[in-house]
Amino acid sequence: MSNRLFQGIVHQMRDCIDRVIGVVDDSATIISCSDLTKIGETSEFFTLDAGDANEVFVRDGYTYKPFGSKMKPEFAVFVEGVDEPAAKYCNLLAISLSSIKQYYDEKYDRNNFIKNVILDNILPGDIYVKARELHFNTDSTRVVLLIRIVASNDISAFDVIQNLFPDKQKDFVFNISESDIVLVKETKQGIESKDLEKLARSIVDTLGSEFYTKVVVGIGTSIVGVKDLARSFKEAQVALEVGKVFDTEKAIVSYDNLGIARLIYQLPTTLCDMFLREVFKKGSIESLDHETLFTIQKFFENNLNVSETSRKLFVHRNTLVYRLEKIKKLTGLDLREFDHAIIFKVALMVKKYLTANPVKY
């Protein structure tokens, strides 16, 4: 990457400096040069670790100025000639290229640092040490969004998201798999869940309407600092998995709004099996047909109100009562009673969870 970075600068400066200019690496190989034919050549006359580390020196008709690490220079800029202007050009180029490299490395390392933090690839004790090295703001409020590509066009969703969040000092975007993109977004302190969902909606809508790419977004909780970014990421993963089971139609799932589904997701499957066996008579839940399950769903949606549910279903009130009696006979639960309705609702969710067998994080 340094080669391309340096070559771009050298190319822009070649018209300002009417001499051959370029950069060599620590093996004295030319990695960028205004004379493209020289790239790849290696000098046999010097190595960068010889002599004074960061002093200007002259070899074979060229003036060199090392730059990079203070302990051991990684590169040296060179200018054709051994006169005073050559030395001045060298010093100016070394300052420019060193600053540009430092900025690039810091930006690149920050992205890698954040990626390692959320994937738990860095020891907790090393997090703040590394954050200080990279001048990383550890007091900001951030949230992790996990964007999963469900169906895509040829367009790069990663590039689109990077363009949506161009501030590389505050927001970080990276891939963790072919279909999963992570956005670590700096936010205002005390930001509400609805505002985060609005942010996620802008991502879903932009990718969907403009680039024909369907995505779902899981949102973790807002955290202050760096260490808890891994927790926010895991929450975003859980949000997507729970959403896949209980909210299949939703494109945006927030960990904060998972409710009872989050509790069920965290239960061991053996406990769930035991619960279903206790609640239902053997095979009673399987005996409920599609029409009956639809009736139950509408009954719950209308707050256990028989009159309102029958109106919405376009059936006579007595027909609905008959169906509810049938359910009571099959399962032993009267859905008109609040406690029974709660047990039945949870049991249906547990059944759905066991059938889906989601990935655990």
Side-chain angles (χ1 to χ4, degrees):
M1 185 58 77
S2 293
N3 301 20
R4 293 206 301 273
L5 186 71
F6 294 151
Q7 184 60 34
I9 304 301
V10 166
H11 180 74
Q12 291 175 61
M13 289 189 171
R14 67 178 183 174
D15 294 332
C16 304
I17 303 172
D18 192 21
R19 303 181 183 211
V20 174
I21 58 173
V23 180
V24 294
D25 62 14
D26 55 3
S27 66
T29 300
I30 298 173
I31 60 170
S32 60
C33 187
S34 57
D35 180 353
L36 298 177
T37 62
K38 292 183 178 294
I39 294 175
E41 289 182 8
T42 302
S43 174
E44 300 173 4
F45 298 102
F46 72 92
T47 55
L48 284 185
D49 56 356
D52 293 327
N54 286 310
E55 294 300 315
V56 171
F57 63 87
V58 173
R59 294 288 189 280
D60 194 31
Y62 285 85
T63 302
Y64 292 83
K65 167 70 176 177
F67 68 93
S69 167
K70 289 180 181 177
M71 301 298 291
K72 181 181 180 296
E74 302 161 87
F75 305 97
V77 65
F78 64 85
V79 175
E80 185 182 16
V82 296
D83 53 0
E84 189 177 338
K88 283 183 178 179
Y89 287 143
C90 259
N91 278 311
L92 287 169
L93 282 166
I95 291 167
S96 299
L97 292 173
S98 182
S99 298
I100 289 163
K101 183 183 180 299
Q102 184 181 353
Y103 170 79
Y104 172 81
D105 285 350
E106 198 167 277
K107 185 178 79 172
Y108 181 74
D109 285 349
R110 278 181 175 186
N111 233 37
N112 266 350
F113 167 62
I114 290 293
K115 189 173 183 177
N116 285 328
V117 168
I118 70 156
L119 295 176
D120 273 334
N121 289 338
I122 184 169
L123 293 170
D126 293 338
I127 289 175
Y128 290 103
V129 175
K130 188 68 177 172
R132 278 197 301 273
E133 281 178 19
L134 296 171
H135 308 292
F136 189 82
N137 187 354
T138 56
D139 298 322
S140 296
T141 303
R142 297 181 177 88
V143 66
V144 178
L145 281 75
L146 179 57
I147 300 133
R148 181 164 293 161
I149 300 165
V150 180
S152 68
N153 206 335
D154 291 337
I155 193 76
S156 168
F158 175 79
D159 291 340
V160 174
I161 295 164
Q162 273 207 321
N163 290 333
L164 284 173
F165 303 95
D167 191 342
K168 304 296 186 289
Q169 297 300 308
K170 291 184 176 181
D171 304 327
F172 303 89
V173 180
F174 45 83
N175 282 310
I176 55 166
S177 74
E178 196 175 335
S179 61
D180 286 2
I181 300 163
V182 171
L183 165 64
V184 178
K185 179 85 180 77
E186 188 171 314
T187 61
K188 293 176 183 175
Q189 201 162 2
I191 189 167
E192 294 184 11
S193 183
K194 63 179 181 181
D195 295 318
L196 293 175
E197 288 180 8
K198 197 180 293 182
L199 175 77
R201 174 58 59 191
S202 70
I203 296 171
V204 172
D205 289 348
T206 301
L207 283 166
S209 60
E210 295 182 33
F211 300 100
Y212 308 104
T213 298
K214 185 182 178 185
V215 297
V216 289
V217 180
I219 307 171
T221 55
S222 294
I223 58 97
V224 177
V226 188
K227 186 169 63 69
D228 287 332
L229 280 172
R231 175 171 59 80
S232 186
F233 170 63
K234 285 185 176 67
E235 289 169 350
Q237 287 181 305
V238 169
L240 280 189
E241 283 302 317
V242 173
K244 195 165 69 178
V245 177
F246 299 109
D247 291 306
T248 51
E249 300 304 312
K250 280 191 177 180
I252 297 158
V253 190
S254 177
Y255 186 82
D256 273 345
N257 298 329
L258 291 177
I260 198 167
R262 185 169 76 204
L263 179 65
I264 293 169
Y265 174 83
Q266 291 168 341
L267 292 173
T269 52
T270 49
L271 198 61
C272 292
D273 276 325
M274 195 185 303
F275 172 71
L276 286 180
R277 284 199 302 271
E278 286 175 5
V279 170
F280 296 116
K281 298 169 187 174
K282 191 175 180 182
S284 64
I285 194 167
E286 281 80 10
S287 64
L288 301 175
D289 57 30
H290 180 73
E291 184 188 43
T292 306
L293 288 171
F294 183 71
T295 300
I296 293 167
Q297 180 190 330
K298 289 296 175 186
F299 191 54
F300 287 149
E301 284 176 9
N302 289 284
N303 302 312
L304 314 184
N305 185 309
V306 174
S307 299
E308 187 64 21
T309 306
S310 59
R311 192 174 66 81
K312 291 282 178 67
L313 287 171
F314 303 104
V315 298
H316 194 275
R317 190 178 189 280
N318 290 345
T319 305
L320 179 59
V321 171
Y322 170 76
R323 288 180 188 175
L324 293 172
E325 286 292 340
K326 182 183 171 186
I327 293 163
K328 182 181 176 183
K329 190 176 179 181
L330 284 168
T331 64
L333 294 169
D334 187 348
L335 300 189
R336 289 163 292 188
E337 292 185 24
F338 183 70
D339 287 350
H340 285 204
I342 288 175
I343 293 168
F344 199 98
K345 175 73 173 174
V346 172
L348 284 179
M349 291 178 76
V350 169
K351 176 72 175 172
K352 197 172 185 181
Y353 161 69
L354 288 176
T355 305
N357 192 26
V359 178
K360 292 271 189 170
Y361 291 104

